[in-house]
PDB file of all heavy atoms in Angstrom:
ATOM      1  N   GLN A 366     128.053  35.284 122.982  1.00 69.00           N
ATOM      2  CA  GLN A 366     129.186  35.166 124.045  1.00 69.00           C
ATOM      3  C   GLN A 366     129.295  36.506 124.767  1.00 69.00           C
ATOM      4  O   GLN A 366     129.014  37.613 124.270  1.00 69.00           O
ATOM      5  CB  GLN A 366     130.449  34.859 123.221  1.00 69.00           C
ATOM      6  CG  GLN A 366     130.486  33.477 122.794  1.00 69.00           C
ATOM      7  CD  GLN A 366     131.854  33.056 122.365  1.00 69.00           C
ATOM      8  OE1 GLN A 366     132.809  33.903 122.362  1.00 69.00           O
ATOM      9  NE2 GLN A 366     132.030  31.926 121.813  1.00 69.00           N
ATOM     10  N   THR A 367     129.707  36.407 126.033  1.00 81.00           N
ATOM     11  CA  THR A 367     129.998  37.540 126.916  1.00 81.00           C
ATOM     12  C   THR A 367     131.475  37.391 127.260  1.00 81.00           C
ATOM     13  O   THR A 367     131.776  36.592 128.026  1.00 81.00           O
ATOM     14  CB  THR A 367     129.102  37.489 128.097  1.00 81.00           C
ATOM     15  OG1 THR A 367     127.750  37.591 127.739  1.00 81.00           O
ATOM     16  CG2 THR A 367     129.465  38.681 129.023  1.00 81.00           C
ATOM     17  N   SER A 368     132.248  38.116 126.582  1.00 85.00           N
ATOM     18  CA  SER A 368     133.776  37.997 126.656  1.00 85.00           C
ATOM     19  C   SER A 368     134.515  39.170 126.709  1.00 85.00           C
ATOM     20  O   SER A 368     134.039  40.258 126.405  1.00 85.00           O
ATOM     21  CB  SER A 368     134.153  37.051 125.505  1.00 85.00           C
ATOM     22  OG  SER A 368     133.980  37.761 124.301  1.00 85.00           O
ATOM     23  N   GLY A 369     135.809  39.010 127.225  1.00 89.00           N
ATOM     24  CA  GLY A 369     136.770  40.162 127.187  1.00 89.00           C
ATOM     25  C   GLY A 369     136.439  41.165 128.233  1.00 89.00           C
ATOM     26  O   GLY A 369     137.045  42.338 128.129  1.00 89.00           O
ATOM     27  N   ASN A 370     135.537  41.047 129.234  1.00 88.00           N
ATOM     28  CA  ASN A 370     135.285  42.019 130.218  1.00 88.00           C
ATOM     29  C   ASN A 370     136.442  41.905 131.387  1.00 88.00           C
ATOM     30  O   ASN A 370     136.939  40.792 131.564  1.00 88.00           O
ATOM     31  CB  ASN A 370     133.938  41.757 130.907  1.00 88.00           C
ATOM     32  CG  ASN A 370     132.869  41.707 129.871  1.00 88.00           C
ATOM     33  OD1 ASN A 370     132.584  42.826 129.352  1.00 88.00           O
ATOM     34  ND2 ASN A 370     132.309  40.507 129.587  1.00 88.00           N
ATOM     35  N   GLY A 390     133.136  35.286 135.013  1.00 84.00           N
ATOM     36  CA  GLY A 390     132.445  34.390 134.017  1.00 84.00           C
ATOM     37  C   GLY A 390     131.253  33.676 134.739  1.00 84.00           C
ATOM     38  O   GLY A 390     131.398  32.679 135.401  1.00 84.00           O
ATOM     39  N   GLY A 392     127.496  32.122 133.729  1.00 78.00           N
ATOM     40  CA  GLY A 392     126.477  31.691 132.751  1.00 78.00           C
ATOM     41  C   GLY A 392     127.233  31.154 131.559  1.00 78.00           C
ATOM     42  O   GLY A 392     128.342  31.485 131.143  1.00 78.00           O
ATOM     43  N   PRO A 393     126.564  30.263 130.699  1.00 77.00           N
ATOM     44  CA  PRO A 393     127.097  29.711 129.561  1.00 77.00           C
ATOM     45  C   PRO A 393     127.567  30.693 128.609  1.00 77.00           C
ATOM     46  O   PRO A 393     126.911  31.682 128.278  1.00 77.00           O
ATOM     47  CB  PRO A 393     125.967  28.847 129.073  1.00 77.00           C
ATOM     48  CG  PRO A 393     125.040  28.617 130.186  1.00 77.00           C
ATOM     49  CD  PRO A 393     125.178  29.865 131.017  1.00 77.00           C
ATOM     50  N   GLY A 394     128.809  30.367 127.965  1.00 76.00           N
ATOM     51  CA  GLY A 394     129.315  31.325 126.930  1.00 76.00           C
ATOM     52  C   GLY A 394     129.896  32.497 127.491  1.00 76.00           C
ATOM     53  O   GLY A 394     130.168  33.536 126.751  1.00 76.00           O
ATOM     54  N   SER A 395     130.317  32.570 128.796  1.00 83.00           N
ATOM     55  CA  SER A 395     131.002  33.689 129.291  1.00 83.00           C
ATOM     56  C   SER A 395     132.459  33.397 129.338  1.00 83.00           C
ATOM     57  O   SER A 395     133.066  32.623 130.225  1.00 83.00           O
ATOM     58  CB  SER A 395     130.580  33.970 130.694  1.00 83.00           C
ATOM     59  OG  SER A 395     131.134  35.091 131.296  1.00 83.00           O
ATOM     60  N   HIS A 396     133.301  33.907 128.388  1.00 85.00           N
ATOM     61  CA  HIS A 396     134.638  33.512 128.108  1.00 85.00           C
ATOM     62  C   HIS A 396     135.612  34.718 128.280  1.00 85.00           C
ATOM     63  O   HIS A 396     135.268  35.794 128.020  1.00 85.00           O
ATOM     64  CB  HIS A 396     134.736  32.947 126.649  1.00 85.00           C
ATOM     65  CG  HIS A 396     133.882  31.919 126.354  1.00 85.00           C
ATOM     66  ND1 HIS A 396     133.931  30.651 126.877  1.00 85.00           N
ATOM     67  CD2 HIS A 396     132.775  31.797 125.454  1.00 85.00           C
ATOM     68  CE1 HIS A 396     132.951  29.904 126.375  1.00 85.00           C
ATOM     69  NE2 HIS A 396     132.279  30.591 125.577  1.00 85.00           N
ATOM     70  N   ALA A 397     136.830  34.323 128.612  1.00 89.00           N
ATOM     71  CA  ALA A 397     137.973  35.226 128.506  1.00 89.00           C
ATOM     72  C   ALA A 397     137.726  36.491 129.270  1.00 89.00           C
ATOM     73  O   ALA A 397     138.127  37.585 128.835  1.00 89.00           O
ATOM     74  CB  ALA A 397     138.370  35.526 127.058  1.00 89.00           C
ATOM     75  N   ASN A 398     137.167  36.411 130.481  1.00 89.00           N
ATOM     76  CA  ASN A 398     136.935  37.605 131.299  1.00 89.00           C
ATOM     77  C   ASN A 398     138.082  37.599 132.302  1.00 89.00           C
ATOM     78  O   ASN A 398     138.371  36.538 132.885  1.00 89.00           O
ATOM     79  CB  ASN A 398     135.602  37.551 131.928  1.00 89.00           C
ATOM     80  CG  ASN A 398     134.426  37.557 130.971  1.00 89.00           C
ATOM     81  OD1 ASN A 398     134.214  38.548 130.275  1.00 89.00           O
ATOM     82  ND2 ASN A 398     133.758  36.434 130.867  1.00 89.00           N
ATOM     83  N   GLY A 399     138.573  38.763 132.723  1.00 90.00           N
ATOM     84  CA  GLY A 399     139.800  38.791 133.513  1.00 90.00           C
ATOM     85  C   GLY A 399     139.735  39.747 134.712  1.00 90.00           C
ATOM     86  O   GLY A 399     139.113  40.777 134.575  1.00 90.00           O
ATOM     87  N   ALA A 421     130.756  25.464 131.081  1.00 62.00           N
ATOM     88  CA  ALA A 421     130.899  25.806 129.667  1.00 62.00           C
ATOM     89  C   ALA A 421     131.806  27.068 129.653  1.00 62.00           C
ATOM     90  O   ALA A 421     132.113  27.426 128.556  1.00 62.00           O
ATOM     91  CB  ALA A 421     129.515  26.111 128.969  1.00 62.00           C
ATOM     92  N   ASP A 422     132.050  27.773 130.745  1.00 64.00           N
ATOM     93  CA  ASP A 422     132.848  29.046 130.664  1.00 64.00           C
ATOM     94  C   ASP A 422     134.339  28.494 130.647  1.00 64.00           C
ATOM     95  O   ASP A 422     134.764  27.566 131.365  1.00 64.00           O
ATOM     96  CB  ASP A 422     132.644  29.697 131.968  1.00 64.00           C
ATOM     97  CG  ASP A 422     131.162  30.189 132.176  1.00 64.00           C
ATOM     98  OD1 ASP A 422     130.518  30.135 131.195  1.00 64.00           O
ATOM     99  OD2 ASP A 422     130.785  30.490 133.291  1.00 64.00           O
ATOM    100  N   ASP A 423     135.189  29.116 129.833  1.00 73.00           N
ATOM    101  CA  ASP A 423     136.455  28.762 129.714  1.00 73.00           C
ATOM    102  C   ASP A 423     137.257  30.080 129.464  1.00 73.00           C
ATOM    103  O   ASP A 423     136.815  31.179 129.128  1.00 73.00           O
ATOM    104  CB  ASP A 423     136.847  27.807 128.579  1.00 73.00           C
ATOM    105  CG  ASP A 423     136.313  28.251 127.174  1.00 73.00           C
ATOM    106  OD1 ASP A 423     136.317  29.466 126.929  1.00 73.00           O
ATOM    107  OD2 ASP A 423     136.075  27.426 126.432  1.00 73.00           O
ATOM    108  N   SER A 424     138.572  30.001 129.787  1.00 86.00           N
ATOM    109  CA  SER A 424     139.507  31.009 129.523  1.00 86.00           C
ATOM    110  C   SER A 424     139.334  32.186 130.372  1.00 86.00           C
ATOM    111  O   SER A 424     139.891  33.335 130.202  1.00 86.00           O
ATOM    112  CB  SER A 424     139.569  31.527 128.051  1.00 86.00           C
ATOM    113  OG  SER A 424     139.878  30.342 127.220  1.00 86.00           O
ATOM    114  N   ASN A 425     138.543  32.118 131.502  1.00 86.00           N
ATOM    115  CA  ASN A 425     138.396  33.179 132.391  1.00 86.00           C
ATOM    116  C   ASN A 425     139.587  33.177 133.359  1.00 86.00           C
ATOM    117  O   ASN A 425     140.130  31.989 133.743  1.00 86.00           O
ATOM    118  CB  ASN A 425     137.159  33.051 133.234  1.00 86.00           C
ATOM    119  CG  ASN A 425     135.904  33.222 132.451  1.00 86.00           C
ATOM    120  OD1 ASN A 425     135.600  34.260 131.767  1.00 86.00           O
ATOM    121  ND2 ASN A 425     135.135  32.184 132.293  1.00 86.00           N
TER     122      ASN A 425
END
Side-chain angles (χ1 to χ4, degrees):
Q366 290 189 2
T367 300
S368 63
N370 302 291
S395 187
H396 305 292
N398 302 289
D422 303 337
D423 58 28
S424 303
N425 297 295

